[in-house]
Amino acid sequence: MSAIRLEGVTKSFGRGKVTAVKGVDLTIADGEFFVLLGPSGCGKTTLLRTIAGLELADRGRIRLGERDVTHLPPRKRDIAMVFQSYAVFPHLTVADNIGFGLRMRKQDKEAVAEKVRWAAELVELADHLDRYPSALSGGQRQRVAVARAIAVEPSVLLMDEPLSNLDALLRLTFRSDLKRLAKDLRTTIVYVTHDQAEALSLGDRVAVMRAGQIVQVDAPMRVYDHPATRFVGGFIGNPPMNFLPVRVDRACWGPRGRIGDQDLALPAGVAAHAGRALLAGIRAENLEPTTDPTPHALAATVRVVEPLGSQLLVTVVVGEHTVKLLTANDFPVEDGAPLWLTPAPDKIRWFCPDTEAEVTFGEGDPGPGRVVSAGGGSPACPD
């Protein structure tokens, strides 16, 4: 096992015209299951390939444990990688595929056979060792690729979207198997995905990337519940977080939040923002709908109702803004009907419209809100 430390890692392509990874600083603990999450083109695969040595960093340092591996070739880094494609050899049996890396390392036949059996049992392929890939399902072929990687007992296991070629049911099954496997191996794992469900369910910690930079690193549910930026809140979640512009008006009894001509409850400490604007981020599951007018609820009009099995996904309009909410599948709602929404006050997240960073308020603190960013804090939301 080995910890990973990245220090200002930068990688560009096209003679510097495209910078895929921009000065990334990151520490991954020994034995941690760490997930790099982000949209296509954000630099997550490039960062993974740079850790592997398949791409060389233009600037910065990469350390695996106590070793500086920045300029070492992949074979000398003691890593193994599972790619998006199965990348299994069609002319070799499952056993020979799993043992390929061991044979390249000149290990004796008995040691290879023992480790092949061990790896096959971990991925539940012990009964398929004599089969060829053509006789396996897609999920089984991916298991062969994983077994081949773990058979060499690397200090770091890198995985680049290994489930993306599987159907939905297989992804769900394999995801559970990967989580079990990670606990058994206790190897440092860096896992790349654009699938937030994979990231939230698998990772000990998740790093969200955007445009070559890491914008937030935290435990999965902290990333979901406390996004550091509007981008993170909008990227994580299905449906994504709703964002409503809130005007903080001054009133004789104190500040009040206004969405168009409707009131919204404000947290303690928001007084410092009177006369300014904020963004309220509200998850779809944190809006309580009613069919009758309710004090302090937001009036809305239903536009679309989508059954999702156990829930309904309802799209409504609040003033000029489109909002999505999740409710029980037996909730009485139909297109064009009026609806009233009550947000859970403690679940609203506040963002600065200019910096798009989260704004948090100390309990009873009359001072300015603190803006939280991936870099550990930034100036309060500007006037």
Side-chain angles (χ1 to χ4, degrees):
M1 294 190 293
S2 183
I4 303 171
R5 188 162 73 252
L6 309 182
E7 302 170 356
V9 172
T10 297
K11 178 62 184 176
S12 299
F13 297 98
R15 297 182 179 179
K17 293 181 179 179
V18 177
T19 304
V21 177
K22 303 175 183 177
V24 169
D25 294 305
L26 181 64
T27 298
I28 300 171
D30 188 8
E32 184 174 21
F33 196 128
F34 192 89
V35 178
L36 293 171
L37 172 67
S40 298
C42 71
K44 57 189 185 296
T45 292
T46 299
L47 183 59
L48 191 78
R49 291 174 61 86
T50 304
I51 296 171
L54 300 174
E55 305 286 353
L56 292 180
D58 299 326
R59 293 191 298 276
R61 290 193 175 278
I62 302 172
R63 297 182 182 275
L64 301 183
E66 299 302 318
R67 297 187 304 143
D68 186 336
V69 301
T70 309
H71 303 293
L72 291 182
R75 68 180 183 276
K76 293 187 177 181
R77 297 195 183 196
D78 192 21
I79 58 95
M81 190 161 179
V82 178
F83 296 92
Q84 182 174 354
S85 61
Y86 307 135
V88 295
F89 301 110
H91 63 290
L92 298 180
T93 64
V94 168
D96 288 338
N97 265 285
I98 295 174
F100 181 82
L102 297 168
R103 293 193 299 276
M104 292 299 99
R105 298 186 181 198
K106 308 297 184 182
Q107 296 197 14
D108 63 68
K109 289 185 178 180
E110 288 186 4
V112 170
E114 183 179 346
K115 290 182 179 179
V116 165
R117 171 66 62 176
W118 166 76
E121 287 178 350
L122 279 177
V123 299
E124 299 179 355
L125 283 177
D127 295 333
H128 299 73
L129 290 175
D130 294 330
R131 295 188 184 183
Y132 286 87
S134 59
L136 303 177
S137 67
Q140 289 171 325
R141 292 178 196 176
Q142 195 60 286
R143 288 172 190 267
V144 173
V146 172
R148 182 175 57 197
I150 64 177
V152 298
E153 299 182 89
S155 59
V156 174
L157 177 60
L158 308 178
M159 309 185 82
D160 185 11
E161 305 208 43
L163 309 187
S164 61
N165 289 327
L166 305 181
D167 62 43
L169 184 57
L170 272 178
R171 282 201 304 272
L172 188 62
T173 302
F174 207 155
R175 200 167 73 203
S176 299
D177 292 340
L178 274 179
K179 193 157 189 173
R180 172 190 54 80
L181 183 64
K183 289 182 179 179
D184 292 340
L185 289 175
R186 298 182 181 178
T187 300
T188 305
I189 298 176
V190 185
Y191 186 101
V192 161
T193 183
H194 65 273
D195 187 320
Q196 55 187 281
E198 284 181 25
L200 297 178
S201 66
L202 288 173
D204 296 322
R205 283 191 303 155
V206 175
V208 182
M209 292 191 68
R210 182 188 191 188
Q213 296 178 307
I214 292 177
V215 294
Q216 185 172 2
V217 182
D218 216 327
M221 291 313 299
R222 284 283 302 176
V223 173
Y224 183 82
D225 288 332
H226 295 275
T229 67
R230 176 178 180 173
F231 167 78
V232 176
F235 182 72
I236 303 288
N238 185 22
M241 180 175 273
N242 298 297
F243 295 98
L244 292 171
V246 178
R247 187 176 69 255
V248 184
D249 287 349
R250 291 182 175 88
C252 59
W253 59 87
R256 65 174 182 172
R258 301 285 286 170
I259 299 175
D261 59 356
Q262 301 192 68
D263 288 338
L264 181 68
L266 296 175
V270 78
H273 290 270
R276 295 157 67 180
L278 294 172
L279 276 176
I282 311 170
R283 295 273 182 210
E285 65 270 24
N286 295 327
L287 287 164
E288 182 67 31
T290 59
T291 55
D292 297 313
T294 304
H296 310 299
L298 299 173
T301 302
V302 176
R303 285 289 178 261
V304 180
V305 179
E306 301 173 66
L308 300 179
S310 62
Q311 292 180 303
L312 297 177
L313 175 60
V314 185
T315 302
V316 303
V317 176
V318 178
E320 300 176 350
H321 310 290
T322 300
V323 172
K324 292 185 181 293
L325 66 108
L326 289 168
T327 189
N329 61 1
D330 58 354
F331 184 80
V333 63
E334 57 184 23
D335 294 355
L339 210 59
W340 285 263
L341 310 177
T342 303
D346 61 331
K347 297 293 186 179
I348 300 176
R349 302 295 174 243
W350 298 89
F351 300 87
C352 176
D354 298 313
T355 67
E356 296 195 343
E358 185 188 15
V359 181
T360 60
F361 308 97
E363 292 184 5
D365 181 3
R370 177 174 57 87
V371 178
V372 181
S373 72
S378 59
C381 194
D383 291 329

